[in-house]
Amino acid sequence: MSFLEGFIDCHTHLADSMFDHDIDMVIENARKSGVVAALVCTITPRDFSLVLRLCEQYSDILVPCLGIHPVQRDCNGEQRCVTQEDLDEVVAEIEKNADKICAIGEVGLDFQPRITPETSHKDTQKSVLKAQVDFANKFNLPLNVHSRSAGKPTIAALKEFGARRVLLHAFDGRPSTAMEGVAEGYFFSIPPSIVRNEQMKLVKQLPIENMVLETDCPGLGPVKGERNEPSNIQISCDYIAKIKGMTPQEVKRITSQNAVNLFPKLKMILK
């Protein structure tokens, strides 16, 4: 199967503990569902070794993305805003593995009020994002970007910081804001949760040339609260096809080509 005949899942968290007990089966189900490649993203510093190890174990289908997410967890497991110290902890690992990774990610902004109650929290997130855009430019890597409750500020920041190749995953902003990203050549990935949220207008307005597929597993599945897997990526494909008046085969082919254009290192594992 060539990559144009298979699915590329552009944003997953397969190193999450929810997959610890059956990762072999999850990968096998992905293969059976036609997934030929999946990008595995980090969130916290702890994830780096887990993601690298997992992608080495399944090197024919998984590729790593290393970055620090705007939302971290404190010692009690409660969510908190990222700090400069979180980034400092992983700078050496990003530089050491720059030749192995497919993108810098998951990075971005998250302006939910409980995460950024103060302006200083937003400023810190922007500073951490800028540093990671600089990494991406230094190593000629794309960015895998989070923008929850911060669609417009994220796109503005990416433009300001000189981001070159960008994937905005699970975008929850307005379609008009997304089109500002399209004007910059950014891509947008659509998860299976599209079947139960209010983003139909986004799918309708985005050009297919700027779209790719994702699952964001274990989150953002078709059924809220149930663990999501890469095998659900067909759901995103079918939904886009329906809204765009295309065949699922056309959507699969175009989004896979888009993914390889955005993430050239995928060619290392794709035939």
Side-chain angles (χ1 to χ4, degrees):
M1 180 190 295
S2 76
F3 73 85
L4 293 179
E5 296 171 323
F7 293 111
I8 297 177
D9 190 341
C10 291
H11 190 103
T12 78
H13 297 283
L14 284 167
D16 188 276
S17 61
M18 290 184 73
F19 297 112
D20 284 352
H21 67 290
D22 65 347
I23 186 63
D24 287 339
M25 184 178 295
V26 170
I27 297 296
E28 183 58 28
N29 288 340
R31 295 186 200 275
K32 289 178 179 177
S33 301
V35 176
V36 293
L39 280 65
V40 187
C41 299
T42 58
I43 294 178
T44 70
R46 175 183 171 273
D47 296 336
F48 277 51
S49 60
L50 298 174
V51 166
L52 289 169
R53 193 181 314 128
L54 183 68
C55 292
E56 187 173 336
Q57 183 179 355
Y58 299 98
S59 59
D60 64 324
I61 189 170
L62 303 184
V63 289
C65 303
L66 301 184
I68 288 295
H69 194 283
V71 181
Q72 299 291 301
R73 290 190 180 275
D74 63 22
C75 57
N76 298 316
E78 298 296 320
Q79 289 187 324
R80 62 165 174 82
C81 184
V82 70
T83 65
Q84 182 63 43
E85 288 72 26
D86 295 318
L87 179 63
D88 292 344
E89 193 175 337
V90 300
V91 167
E93 279 297 299
I94 292 175
E95 294 183 336
K96 174 184 172 183
N97 292 285
D99 61 332
K100 297 180 183 178
I101 61 179
C102 194
I104 302 292
E106 180 175 357
V107 306
L109 302 178
D110 190 312
F111 286 176
Q112 296 177 85
R114 64 187 176 85
I115 302 297
T116 54
E118 307 291 340
T119 300
S120 61
H121 292 114
K122 295 181 179 180
D123 292 341
T124 299
Q125 285 193 14
K126 288 179 180 177
S127 176
V128 170
L129 174 59
K130 182 182 186 305
Q132 295 187 95
V133 172
D134 290 345
F135 289 148
N137 289 342
K138 177 180 178 180
F139 298 113
N140 193 27
L141 289 166
L143 291 150
N144 212 319
V145 179
H146 174 100
S147 57
R148 189 171 183 181
S149 301
K152 200 171 187 69
T154 301
I155 290 175
L158 291 168
K159 290 166 63 176
E160 178 186 346
F161 301 154
R164 297 171 189 160
R165 288 180 286 147
V166 172
L167 171 63
L168 286 151
H169 103 93
F171 190 75
D172 67 357
R174 295 179 179 178
S176 58
T177 300
M179 295 308 290
E180 295 176 23
V182 168
E184 296 297 315
Y186 300 166
F187 289 79
F188 294 78
S189 52
I190 308 300
S193 59
I194 191 70
V195 299
R196 59 178 172 83
N197 70 19
E198 303 299 320
Q199 287 293 72
M200 181 186 75
K201 291 181 180 178
L202 176 67
V203 172
K204 193 170 185 178
Q205 195 159 339
L206 283 172
I208 190 68
E209 293 79 13
N210 294 79
M211 299 173 76
V212 294
L213 306 177
E214 69 158 300
T215 59
D216 194 33
C217 63
L220 299 190
V223 180
K224 190 172 184 178
E226 290 189 6
R227 187 184 75 168
N228 191 18
E229 297 183 15
S231 57
N232 284 328
I233 202 161
Q234 179 80 53
I235 295 170
S236 297
C237 180
D238 290 348
Y239 184 91
I240 294 169
K242 180 181 177 182
I243 297 300
K244 294 287 193 188
M246 302 171 67
T247 67
Q249 291 75 18
E250 288 175 312
V251 172
K252 183 195 301 184
R253 177 179 56 80
I254 294 170
T255 55
S256 292
Q257 183 64 69
N258 290 346
V260 173
N261 292 343
L262 176 59
F263 302 109
K265 285 190 179 179
L266 283 170
K267 294 174 185 175
M268 294 189 299
I269 66 169
L270 296 171
K271 307 302 180 186

